[in-house]
Amino acid sequence: MPSLTEPKLISGNANMTLAKSISRRMSMHRGMNVGLVDARVERFNDAEIFVEVFENVRGEDMFIIQSTSKPANDHLMELLIMADALRRSSAGRITAVIPYFGYARQDRRTKARTPISAKLVANMLTRAGIERILTMDLHAAQIQGFFDIPVDNLYAAPIFALDIQHHFGSMEDVMVISPDVGGVARARELAKRINAPLAIVDKRREKPGEVAEMTVIGDVTGKKCIIVDDLCDTAGTLCKAAEVLMDAGATEVHSYITHGVMSGPAVERVSKSVMKSLVITDTIEPTQAILDCPNIRIVPTAPVFAQGILNIWNGTSVSSLFETDTLVPIYEGLYNGNGA
């Protein structure tokens, strides 16, 4: 249902850079200033979170921009408290724009007496007064079903396809790699978009976070391999997969990862790995170490999030953003023509 008011944006502290970029893009689209609502999200001396909104939001169509990235608990609480503040201020509708949805890896019970934390977070967000979610590349698509409100899950694959076509040119010797069997659907989608073959790195884990063995399923000899996944945490598995692919005959290995969590030694591992490049998006605000790493490159998501917010606001299709024909004009400043 189209809103009768202008969309209004508010941001927590998780990724203020992305929030400002989205607001600038929306200002370009609207031909008028779409700034962030004046508010403060602060902490008392005991780290208790306090939110105060300085503008009237009664009846407004509000969009809270907040990734639940590290520190995940703090940023999640900021999001919940901002939603409560807006609800108690009589906002017309509250949409949470969560570029990176934390706790998504806990989407099922892996063993006895463990939680399904993604479902718990979904319940918390809904009870806080949030009426719609806009996110990108959920770790598992079925998380959308954890919510009893609409969830729009954008995909990075169409953006990555434009970037790959722009930087690689010919797709003749390019091969897309899924880093595990569970990610085949995601890798297949990208491979289909760039008309490239697909291979799989099958990994066997002895325990979480440790990979015991990797096997390449498919012939990667003489290929420029592009590993695609939804997130990179410590980069241990990613760097080992790159080594396995090079040992199997690949000429180059590149990685396209949506969410650059990049915990602990991740940046150092990537800088020393055989990977020629790691491309991530800005759904999580990059640290200075990431920005300084010569083989890490960042693709912006502000254009697609800005258009997604406008589509939700005016009641038009969000799924249209999955199409290349729609994305090309949105990203025309980065990729010209058909992306070549």
Side-chain angles (χ1 to χ4, degrees):
M1 181 179 67
S3 174
L4 299 177
T5 61
E6 290 292 320
K8 285 200 170 183
L9 310 180
I10 188 171
S11 177
N13 296 315
N15 196 341
M16 187 61 74
T17 303
L18 176 58
K20 290 178 179 177
S21 296
I22 292 172
S23 105
R24 284 195 298 269
R25 289 292 303 201
M26 288 182 65
S27 298
M28 291 169 57
H29 287 307
R30 299 291 296 151
M32 58 185 293
N33 183 41
V34 182
L36 297 174
V37 167
D38 189 15
R40 61 171 175 155
V41 183
E42 298 178 346
R43 281 160 177 73
F44 293 143
N45 292 332
D46 62 353
E48 187 176 304
I49 296 167
F50 174 72
V51 173
E52 184 177 6
V53 181
F54 296 116
E55 298 181 25
N56 180 24
V57 297
R58 183 179 297 275
E60 300 286 357
D61 198 359
M62 299 298 305
F63 292 84
I64 307 173
I65 303 171
Q66 178 82 336
S67 283
T68 50
S69 51
K70 182 182 179 180
N73 299 333
D74 285 2
H75 290 152
L76 175 59
M77 281 303 299
E78 282 186 12
L79 175 56
L80 294 170
I81 294 172
M82 282 190 291
D84 187 72
L86 294 174
R87 180 173 60 87
R88 294 177 187 277
S89 302
S90 302
R93 179 176 65 174
I94 304 171
T95 299
V97 181
I98 311 175
Y100 170 66
F101 185 85
Y103 284 100
R105 283 177 279 184
Q106 300 183 51
D107 63 315
R108 65 196 184 282
R109 297 189 70 191
T110 55
K111 57 184 72 173
R113 297 174 296 281
T114 57
I116 305 179
S117 301
K119 171 58 177 170
L120 174 62
V121 171
N123 290 343
M124 293 165 68
L125 293 172
T126 305
R127 291 298 298 271
I130 291 168
E131 299 169 61
R132 194 180 191 106
I133 303 288
L134 177 63
T135 187
M136 176 171 277
D137 270 352
L138 286 170
H139 185 63
Q142 65 265 23
I143 292 174
Q144 296 173 80
F146 292 176
F147 292 87
D148 293 323
I149 57 176
V151 177
D152 294 300
N153 183 30
L154 299 175
Y155 298 104
I159 306 170
F160 286 163
L162 291 178
D163 191 88
I164 291 167
Q165 290 167 342
H166 180 79
H167 284 90
F168 286 79
S170 172
M171 296 293 108
E172 186 176 343
D173 56 352
V174 170
M175 176 174 273
V176 176
I177 309 293
S178 172
D180 53 46
V181 175
V184 170
R186 182 181 293 105
R188 186 188 295 120
E189 171 65 20
L190 179 60
K192 184 178 177 181
R193 286 181 178 274
I194 64 175
N195 194 28
L198 175 68
I200 303 168
V201 176
D202 181 42
K203 62 186 178 186
R204 178 170 57 85
R205 291 186 185 273
E206 294 294 336
K207 55 184 178 179
E210 292 186 12
V211 178
E213 184 180 351
M214 283 186 169
T215 306
V216 179
I217 303 174
D219 185 8
V220 299
T221 305
K223 297 291 186 180
K224 294 178 182 176
C225 292
I226 298 176
I227 301 173
V228 57
D229 207 353
D230 66 315
L231 64 87
C232 174
D233 193 349
T234 60
T237 301
L238 186 65
C239 292
K240 187 170 182 179
E243 292 175 7
V244 170
L245 289 167
M246 291 297 288
D247 291 342
T251 58
E252 296 177 5
V253 177
H254 304 261
S255 295
Y256 278 74
I257 310 294
T258 306
H259 307 297
V261 179
M262 307 301 283
S263 305
V267 176
E268 183 181 359
R269 284 174 174 171
V270 170
S271 65
K272 295 178 179 178
S273 76
V274 297
M275 271 189 300
K276 195 166 184 180
S277 70
L278 168 62
V279 179
I280 59 176
T281 73
D282 57 356
T283 56
I284 298 173
E285 186 153 32
T287 62
Q288 191 59 47
I290 292 173
L291 295 173
D292 292 340
C293 187
N295 56 342
I296 297 179
R297 186 162 54 83
I298 300 171
V299 171
T301 57
V304 72
F305 274 113
Q307 190 62 54
I309 290 170
L310 287 170
N311 287 9
I312 290 172
W313 167 72
N314 62 30
T316 56
S317 171
V318 175
S319 61
S320 64
L321 298 175
F322 305 160
E323 303 300 325
T324 302
D325 290 343
T326 306
L327 277 183
V328 166
I330 294 174
Y331 276 86
E332 64 182 350
L334 283 172
Y335 312 117
N336 54 12
N338 60 3

